[in-house]
Amino acid sequence: SQSTPADESSSAAAATSAAASAAASEAAPASSAAAAAMPAPFDAPPVKVALVQNSGAGDYFQQWTNGAKQQAATIGMELQVYDAQADNAKQATDMETAIGSGVSAIIVDHGQADTMCPLIVKATDAGIKVTVYDIEITECAPAAVETAQSDADLATLVLTQMATDIGQSVPVGYVNVLGIAPLDRRDVVWQQFVKDNKWEQLFFVGKFTNAVATDNAQLVDAALKANPTVKAIFAPYDELTKGTVSAIEQNNMQKDVSAYGIDISNADIEVMTKADSPWKATATTDPNAIGAGVVRAMALEMAGQLDTKEVVFPGVLVTQQFLVDNKITNMDELRAAMPELNLTNEVSADWIPPVTF
Amino acid sequence: MSDQKAQAATGGREMALRFQDGLVKYGFIVVTILLFVYFSATEETFRNPNTLFSMLKFTSVVAIAGLGITFTMVVGGLDLSVGAVAGLSVTLSAMTMVFYNQQGGVAIVVVLLAGALVGLFNAFLIVILKIPDLLATLGTMFIVMGLKLVPVSGQSVSSGMTLRDGSIAPGKFTSDFLLIDRANVGPVPFPVIVVLILTILTWFFLTRTKWGRMMYAIGANPEASRLAGVRVRFYHGLAYVICGVFASIGGLILSSRIGQGDISAGSSLLLDAVAVALVGTSVLGLGRPNAWGTALGALLIGIVITGLTIKGFPYYAQDIAKGVVLLVALIFSFTLSRRKTRYVSAT
Amino acid sequence: MSDQKAQAATGGREMALRFQDGLVKYGFIVVTILLFVYFSATEETFRNPNTLFSMLKFTSVVAIAGLGITFTMVVGGLDLSVGAVAGLSVTLSAMTMVFYNQQGGVAIVVVLLAGALVGLFNAFLIVILKIPDLLATLGTMFIVMGLKLVPVSGQSVSSGMTLRDGSIAPGKFTSDFLLIDRANVGPVPFPVIVVLILTILTWFFLTRTKWGRMMYAIGANPEASRLAGVRVRFYHGLAYVICGVFASIGGLILSSRIGQGDISAGSSLLLDAVAVALVGTSVLGLGRPNAWGTALGALLIGIVITGLTIKGFPYYAQDIAKGVVLLVALIFSFTLSRRKTRYVSAT
Amino acid sequence: MTSQATIVMRDITMSFGANMVLRGVNLEINPAHVTALLGANGAGKSTLIKILSGVYTGNGGVIEIDGEPQTIDSPMTARRIGLQTVHQRIDDGVIPGLSIAENLLFEQIAQNEIGRVASLRSLLPKAREVADALHLDWSDSYLRKDVFEIGVADKQLLILARALARRPRLLILDEPTSALSQSEVDRLFSVINELRASGIPVLYVSHRLGEIDTLADRLVVLRDGQIRGEQDRPFDWTAALKDMLGEQTVVELESFEERHGTTTVLDLKGVQLFTRSAPFDLEIRSGEVTGVIGLLGSGKSELARGIFGADSFVGGTMTLAGAKYAPAGPSEAIRNDVYLVPEDRAQESMLPGWSIARTASLPFLKMIASRSVLNFGKEHALGIDLINEFSVVADGDEQEVDSLSGGNQQKVIVGRWLHGTPRVLLLDEPFRGVDIGARRDISRKTREVAGSGVGVVVLTSDIDEVLEVADRIIVLVDGEVRMDTYSSQTNRDQIVVRMSEVA
Ligand SMILES: Nc1ncnc2c1ncn2[C@@H]1O[C@H](COP(=O)(O)OP(=O)(O)OP(=O)(O)O)[C@@H](O)[C@H]1O
Ligand SMILES: Nc1ncnc2c1ncn2[C@@H]1O[C@H](COP(=O)(O)OP(=O)(O)OP(=O)(O)O)[C@@H](O)[C@H]1O
Ligand SMILES: [Mg+2]
Ligand SMILES: [Mg+2]
């Protein structure tokens, strides 16, 4: 599976949203009753919109989708979901099916620019409004709206923390897989920090498989045995970080080596907060909120109220300290403690009821 | 086998038996049609011809790989390396155009050659080194999967990427190459045409030419074929070369569809292609691998998956569906069929 | 068969032949040892006993699944659903402990039962519905892969997750369950112990007991076994049940290692396990599936992969290595071996 | 019939789908009798036996043993009742991958008559006991061998020993000698005589009338699924054959006038069959039938397969009609018009599920194809031809060969080669498991072909067969030619002597 893992910050269950969206769909007619406030085309629900996903598998995408569905329900938007199961070729054909199926707008969630761009253009040319998430299409498909979470932002947040924790010119390790867009973007920031802080990178391992955590644990384990002197390891994707952490524990090096990751989930919180866990800090966004945000962007675009073609959702830094101090054990508590995760103020409008998770 | 004798022995109720045979012969096609009607009736999107064509287009790659596998099943083997070969084709075509800035035509030639080469390697392992088909191709699969990543150091090849030496990749996917997947003949997508042509060719080769006949002979009893003057090693090997070429054709379509050297491409292909070819053996109650069966099998699985997607089932419903379809097909050809099914084993 | 007569006929150079046989019998083990020595010599890290043990630990799951497959290969089949079953076990154990807040013990029981159940389903398809092993288990694989995701609506299960009804999942992975993977007996990780025990059990069962002999018998000559009054269907089915249980044991270790209901777990297991079992058939030149061979096969692949990793090869070098190891093993048992290898086919 | 019959079968019927094979068989097997069961190929002998041994549960009839009716619904029950069967196909008796010892004890293990847990070593003594039943003195190291590695003969002996291990109430033997050498046959017969002496009945199926003559007390003839004749000693063979073949009167062995070929078509120089055997020269002449006779293991098949290029000789060269001839494989041999009908019909000639026409056309696809595209019309014609020429009993050229009876299968795979243009035609054991009628048909055809100027070689281990068909007789012992003469210049006894001479 090549689902851009960097985004799989697995967080709260789809369940919340499922429940809520039930509630919301009851709310939908109500909102359309207040249709006076609703701009076209939402004054005449349901508005059919296709959601063409590169992958719906796994926690991240489940929640992304549910966030999207929940927000969509509040404004009478009906999502037809196509799921390519991380198969770029299938996503291409899904996109064609979507274009052919006569929807008025299409949301494209992840995918390869080379693969999707021509089809996105085909769609926009056909007068279909398109909003994409996490595909770089600004040059090739200027007519479409591009949304993304800022990987550079996330990486900077956590690496700044790491720098303050371990200081300059210390031996460090790096666990990452290049060739996957968001991981590459995080890599750029990493290279910069290594230079600026004169860190000595002792090893660079990492592989992307169907079982990232387990398989990378094996790699890092070997790497640690070969380089027992490292002080900190950066693994910019929580599956990689989990692998790293368990490798550190395999070698009982929790005291000497700390790990820094990106993304967070219930499981991650458990790992970060357990006794002398090496995982010191992570940076993340909430996929539910992102999904909802993308739908809002789509809605505004369809209503002609979106003034930009590029929307970036900010991330937040979550430290081990913060979690422990606030006795946070799962995502819901984290959201409670960090309302900014809900992104309610990003691309919003008064006729779009905000959703929280 | 002998159980089946016993079964036969209990026979006698001619009517029932004739009905059973009918079921074996047409049951499968009936199921396909019913499903199609059901989905069309319930989902307006499904009725839409675009949907139909993009469905056919979507299954084209699986169908072509399946046809390749059909050849190897005919000689009594099974090629597990088709997925890897398709993946290799994607990477190779991308490299040829992006790294070496070549025309699409060149890429096509390179890819087809590579496919044939892998086929030859399989043939070598199987007919010269006498390694059973299933095991040999499993080994090849691993090796090809790994080797293809070496020249690109494990990265997807996309135009404008930075090369090892820090320079920017000179080339890009040529527009003509991209047409392989994106061109239409009238309303019909080009890949669908390709499937049709390859199916007809395969059908003709296997049933109407002496080469096909000899391949079936090898599958039925290699030693007897040898003693009847069939050049067993040659035809056994040939089947794998053909399979390799077919797999790489599938890869070309994938590559043109994805528009970049996606390293993950083809990874999901193997099991689907095998499933399709197996389903194919039971279509029409032939009980042996055959071209039209495979094509129909691909169509059926396409219908089921597209139908479920449009009906909004989650992705994992598709796996369940695949499994069920496969088992239903197998029940038709093995449980109900009274004649011994002649898909000969793989090792 | 006749080739082999011929081969034998051409004989005479007794020395050479004896050497060849030696190669077939011990060549494989020699290769393993040489590799081990090489890596230990060149990589100080590799010498470190921890490395050895964590290596054994990482191969334990593959080894156990491989042992399961060995049973099915002995009866002349091959179980393609082991990976799916392992994945199912991970999800199930997580559900039992996290959703239903049960003890680890309960989870273990549930998982083992599920494994046996899938095995029974395979047995049903194969011995009752008479679907060839390979095809039946392929279907089961798809179905299990899909079904396991239904109750968790496609999500990994982790403690503290919110359930459909909005409440927080009550339970968590119990510490005793986590010990399955993390406990050590002396310096030896518990999973390694498990592998050792299962290998010995399998070896004893297959070579020393009536049941094992019957299994080899129906694998080698089902008709003869039937005529001798062997309950072929029973033993054939039994092999699949055992295989299912073994796969679920592997799943338990995975689950305890990952510490959450990772839906992707086990997906990479199938091909590795098959490879290991196949390599196993050729170890010791036995030319038939056997317990120690499988265990050794797992060890060998473990050595190669760990060695390459420590030597800093990229991950895709591992696939190549796997393929090469597999082919070398196969060359030993098929190309060089003068006796016909009796790994009976799967369909 | 004596009243105290041990086994009585009444109105046994059995049909495979539409094909009714047994139509009410009534048979009594008396104690201390060897009852011979005769019948043409496809008469239903094996089927009847499979019903007695619980392989098939017949669709009708009763089986009584010592007066009380028995339902034999599985091989297990048959064995428990004490009915021991040696089936026709050797491959249905042995299990490759297990040692000889384990094979000898296989049934006992399967039936829990031996501890469920046992190492191979602990099995050896018991295994030796079983082997002793047939006076086989096999060493422990041999008993440890994988059955796969031993010869056909030893396999047959193993199966027989196993059947004798526990004194059965009835011993059933279905063509047990087709793979045995004379000495081995004698050993088997002496054991059978012991059994008879101790009151145990034997049901014996064979196509070799000679054997039945020496062994049987009674003979029953099966035809069209019914018992058509019963005789006690002394047997009236012409009557028996009439019962057996019915209206199809036996082609009387017309004492053919011996032909002497003049031109050498195939010339073997310094050919060596086994590493242990010495090289020899041999000329195959066209226009005559050369009969090669020898015990099992004498190297007949090696000789035939070597000439055909299926295997390579240990050493030696060949010239075909003056030209150097060294076939790399059968395909090359066939291109040179050298054909072989191999020894093992099922393994080496038949293709599961293939029709008569397809089977017939396989070696000569060129003939029915234009530019490699098959012409089904021609293929059909080919099939029909074959059926008529050899009077094959079949529904048509589309019938699957597997569903024919042994004799007719043999006709098909012999006949198909005559569509080519043979210069040398090799037939290895062409009469094995073939009834007398089919045997006469095939040998007549063979002589016709030779008459048309083809070098025909018939390899067999049966003297009657060789005398019946061959002009010239070559005796092979341990891979060496011990006698090469025309049949008019020798006689049965001389041949027997030469055959059993040891180097
Ligand atoms: N399993 C089966 N399915 C269908 N037909 C069968 C089967 N077994 C036997 N027959 C048919 O039943 C008839 C009797 O077969 P059987 O083997 O009993 O003959 P036989 O007397 O043993 O001949 P032979 O002397 O060649 O062994 C033949 O016509 C054969 O084609
Ligand atoms: N594949 C084999 N494996 C082991 N032994 C074999 C094999 N084939 C034949 N043999 C044995 O080798 C010896 C020579 O075989 P071959 O068939 O040539 O004997 P033959 O003279 O042809 O006698 P027949 O034709 O009656 O079997 C025989 O003892 C035979 O049992
Ligand atoms: Mg018979
Ligand atoms: Mg022979």
Side-chain angles (χ1 to χ4, degrees), chain A residues 2 56-58 62 80-83 85-90 92-93 96-97 100-101 112-115 118 178-179, chain B residues 45 48 50-51 54 57-58 154-155 158-159 181-182 254 257-260 262-264 268 305 309-310 315 318-319:
Chain A
Q2 214 51 6
Q62 284 284 323
Q80 164 81 63
V81 183
Y82 297 88
D83 173 1
Q85 293 182 59
D87 178 340
N88 294 323
K90 184 171 189 299
T93 29
E96 292 185 33
T97 316
S101 69
Q112 303 294 329
D114 295 329
T115 313
L178 299 186
Chain B
T45 325
N48 170 338
N50 298 333
T51 314
S54 53
K57 190 170 166 181
F58 158 58
Q155 294 194 42
S158 51
S159 39
D181 186 63
R182 298 172 191 180
L254 269 184
R257 184 171 297 164
I258 300 174
Q260 65 154 263
D262 176 0
I263 54 168
S264 73
S268 58
I305 289 183
T309 314
I310 291 177
Y315 72 96
Q318 303 184 1
D319 280 335

Side-chain angles (χ1 to χ4, degrees), chain D residues 34-245:
Chain D
V34 174
T35 310
L37 179 60
L38 268 79
N41 295 115
K45 302 184 294 296
S46 297
T47 307
L48 185 64
I49 280 169
K50 286 187 174 159
I51 288 174
L52 259 180
S53 56
V55 178
Y56 302 152
T57 47
N59 342 82
V62 270
I63 300 174
E64 290 177 4
I65 298 183
D66 292 336
E68 76 242 22
Q70 300 274 4
T71 48
I72 304 171
D73 51 11
S74 79
M76 259 176 288
T77 24
R79 197 165 178 285
R80 209 171 295 116
I81 297 169
L83 308 181
Q84 274 293 3
T85 310
V86 173
H87 290 284
Q88 184 172 2
R89 295 188 55 235
I90 295 178
D91 292 348
D92 285 351
V94 292
I95 288 154
L98 294 189
S99 64
I100 295 183
E102 285 162 312
N103 269 277
L104 282 166
L105 296 169
F106 189 71
E107 292 186 341
Q108 298 178 44
I109 296 173
Q111 307 301 335
N112 298 331
E113 289 154 15
I114 287 183
R116 287 185 176 72
V117 178
S119 70
L120 183 53
R121 183 188 288 99
S122 68
L123 289 177
L124 288 178
K126 296 198 188 65
R128 231 177 287 107
E129 288 172 23
V130 177
D132 290 343
L134 205 57
H135 315 309
L136 302 169
D137 46 5
W138 285 346
S139 70
D140 280 8
S141 59
Y142 194 69
L143 287 173
R144 287 172 171 276
K145 263 195 173 211
D146 184 331
V147 158
F148 173 80
E149 297 167 19
I150 70 174
V152 196
D154 284 354
K155 286 179 185 165
Q156 180 70 79
L157 293 171
L158 185 161
I159 299 167
L160 287 165
R162 187 168 66 198
L164 297 167
R166 286 192 333 171
R167 293 175 55 78
R169 279 168 81 181
L170 168 65
L171 178 63
I172 305 166
L173 303 172
D174 192 351
E175 298 191 32
T177 55
S178 49
L180 294 187
S181 72
Q182 195 52 49
S183 57
E184 290 157 338
V185 172
D186 298 340
R187 197 189 306 168
L188 173 62
F189 285 6
S190 65
V191 173
I192 293 179
N193 287 324
E194 288 169 22
L195 288 177
R196 169 175 32 205
S198 60
I200 294 175
V202 177
L203 181 60
Y204 189 92
V205 177
S206 177
H207 291 292
R208 296 186 173 173
L209 306 183
E211 292 179 354
I212 296 176
D213 206 34
T214 52
L215 196 64
D217 307 296
R218 284 181 64 231
L219 71 77
V220 267
V221 180
L222 189 63
R223 171 157 56 91
D224 306 341
Q226 284 183 335
I227 301 296
R228 291 306 175 87
E230 309 191 19
Q231 297 184 33
D232 289 310
R233 284 183 161 287
F235 303 128
D236 166 358
W237 284 111
T238 37
L241 291 188
K242 283 232 166 5
D243 295 334
M244 186 171 151
L245 304 172

Side-chain angles (χ1 to χ4, degrees), chain A residues 12-16 19 58-59 62-63 206-207 210-211 214 217-219 221-222 225-226 242 250 266-267 270 330 332, chain C residues 45 50-51 54 57-58 153-156 158-164 168 257-258 260 263-264 267 309-310 315 318:
Chain A
T16 357
D59 307 355
Q62 284 284 323
Q63 293 154 50
K207 86 193 214 187
N210 318 59
T214 17
Q218 190 171 2
L219 299 184
D221 177 71
K225 290 191 165 66
K242 266 187 288 187
Q250 295 274 346
N266 289 315
E270 202 181 347
N330 67 45
D332 295 339
Chain C
T45 330
N50 296 335
T51 317
S54 53
K57 187 169 165 181
F58 284 120
S153 45
Q155 292 183 86
S156 296
S158 52
S159 41
M161 74 187 285
T162 330
L163 304 178
R164 277 211 195 62
I168 301 295
R257 182 172 300 163
I258 303 172
Q260 63 160 299
I263 54 167
S264 70
S267 41
T309 316
I310 291 180
Y315 71 91
Q318 302 181 0

